[in-house]
Amino acid sequence: MAVAKQKLSVPFDYDKYLRKDKLPHIWCPGCGHGIVLKSLLRAIDNKELSKDDLCMVSGIGCSSRTPGYVDFNTLHTIHGRAFSFATGLKLAKPSLKMIIATGDGDAMAIGGNHFIHTCRRNIDMLIIVYSNAIYGMTGGQSSPTTPIGSIATTARYGNVEPPFDICEMAKAAGATFVARGTAYHTQELERTFTEALGHKGTAVVEVIDSCPIYFGRMNKQRGASEMMENIEKNGTFSVKQADKLPDEKKEGKLVRGILHRVERPEYCEQYDKLIVAKATK
Ligand code: SF4
Ligand code: MG
């Protein structure tokens, strides 16, 4: 009897991108970082990028542990300096597809200056900012994205500093691709990463993420699932929804999606042209 051919959906093979000997990972139960990594690996697969052509660089923090778990070329460096190391690597080997894994504290405070100048130069790299509004690994201190009024170990009565808008900062500094996703909207995040990986120039993707252990506990969001629900219900709206929603429904929320995409000469290519021009003079 003829058996009707059925298209079977093949489970995604995460193992081929992971260093299984480095597992289990250090992330706390309920942390959003693993979800972000999952979307990234699927995007890398969508783009059919070779592991040997990928290079992931990080600074310090929970999110900066990501390179340890992926089977690419990887570099775990010092606080806030992933951008500098990645710039050097990219100049030495421009064929590498650079990915930076960084946190809101690592990228916006310690590495803020490096972040700005990477965007200004438009160096071809994807910068993923795991944005959970707190320093996780170093003990729950307030970061440049901690909302006003939120509690942190360094803001026991509530944070009084206005937070940075990472995407606005990236755009103002010259990044040519700027997007925001969340650890809740995983398929959308995969699509955003896929687009970002195909971009030539500095691509910044801020991912609204959750730290249930520090931010959650100190701010009465006790469970990981509750934090995810908050991201879904209260945190963001999509670019598509932006035109339809009244202003009062958007107040206090962040917009998700691709927010900025332009073309501009890429730094390494400009540099190479200069070398060729000088050599042939
Ligand atoms: Fe995640 Fe927070 Fe734990 Fe770090 S401290 S792994 S950010 S939950
Ligand atoms: Mg953080």
Side-chain angles (χ1 to χ4, degrees):
M1 190 174 72
V3 179
K5 277 193 180 168
Q6 202 181 359
K7 195 179 173 195
L8 298 171
S9 65
V10 182
F12 189 88
D13 182 12
Y14 294 99
D15 285 0
K16 74 176 176 181
Y17 293 111
L18 294 173
R19 291 179 179 143
K20 285 175 74 182
D21 58 321
K22 300 291 181 198
L23 300 175
H25 58 71
I26 62 144
W27 296 322
C28 309
C31 178
H33 292 356
I35 304 173
V36 181
L37 176 58
K38 176 179 169 170
S39 292
L40 176 66
L41 296 183
R42 296 180 76 98
I44 285 167
D45 201 73
N46 293 342
K47 296 299 289 180
E48 299 180 346
L49 295 169
S50 156
K51 292 193 291 183
D52 290 338
D53 294 335
L54 287 166
C55 182
M56 186 181 262
V57 185
S58 69
I60 292 296
C62 300
S63 57
S64 288
R65 287 300 188 101
T66 310
Y69 306 126
V70 293
D71 191 22
F72 315 147
N73 302 288
T74 59
L75 202 57
H76 185 192
T77 71
I78 51 178
H79 221 343
R81 302 299 183 265
F83 310 102
S84 320
F85 283 89
T87 297
L89 278 165
K90 183 72 181 170
L91 279 167
K93 194 167 181 191
S95 62
L96 285 174
K97 187 75 197 168
M98 307 299 301
I99 302 172
I100 291 183
T102 180
D104 43 300
D106 190 59
M108 290 291 106
I110 300 100
N113 198 28
H114 299 279
F115 175 86
I116 288 169
H117 293 289
T118 303
C119 294
R120 177 176 67 87
R121 291 176 180 137
N122 196 33
I123 303 173
D124 186 32
M125 57 180 72
L126 165 58
I127 300 171
I128 302 170
V129 188
Y130 295 63
S131 187
N132 56 11
I134 200 101
Y135 283 90
M137 182 175 281
T138 51
Q141 298 94 338
S142 59
S143 84
T145 57
T146 304
I148 288 180
S150 294
I151 307 294
T153 52
T154 48
R156 300 308 300 168
Y157 303 109
N159 177 43
V160 293
E161 299 178 21
F164 271 143
D165 181 322
I166 295 176
C167 291
E168 286 297 325
M169 166 77 87
K171 187 177 163 191
T176 46
F177 181 105
V178 179
R180 183 181 287 117
T182 84
Y184 178 87
H185 303 88
T186 55
Q187 291 176 338
E188 187 183 277
L189 185 61
E190 177 187 330
R191 288 193 294 275
T192 301
F193 281 149
T194 306
E195 290 291 314
L197 284 166
H199 180 76
K200 185 83 175 173
T202 305
V204 177
V205 179
E206 178 189 15
V207 185
I208 306 299
D209 199 357
S210 61
C211 171
I213 296 302
Y214 281 112
F215 191 91
R217 278 195 310 193
M218 285 187 285
N219 290 282
K220 297 193 170 59
Q221 297 180 27
R222 295 197 175 273
S225 56
E226 188 184 339
M227 291 195 82
M228 282 292 160
E229 276 168 28
N230 276 342
I231 291 175
E232 197 243 331
K233 291 201 183 103
N234 308 319
T236 61
F237 57 90
S238 71
V239 170
K240 279 186 192 159
Q241 293 169 316
D243 292 336
K244 296 174 201 155
L245 285 174
D247 286 347
E248 61 269 21
K249 295 234 169 180
K250 292 190 263 186
E251 202 172 321
K253 295 184 180 179
L254 294 166
V255 60
R256 304 189 314 271
I258 296 169
L259 310 176
H260 175 69
R261 176 155 47 179
V262 291
E263 286 189 19
R264 191 159 66 77
E266 193 274 327
Y267 182 83
C268 297
E269 286 184 354
Q270 293 300 102
Y271 210 88
D272 280 348
K273 278 185 198 164
L274 191 65
I275 291 167
V276 171
K278 284 283 173 196
T280 52
K281 237 184 184 180

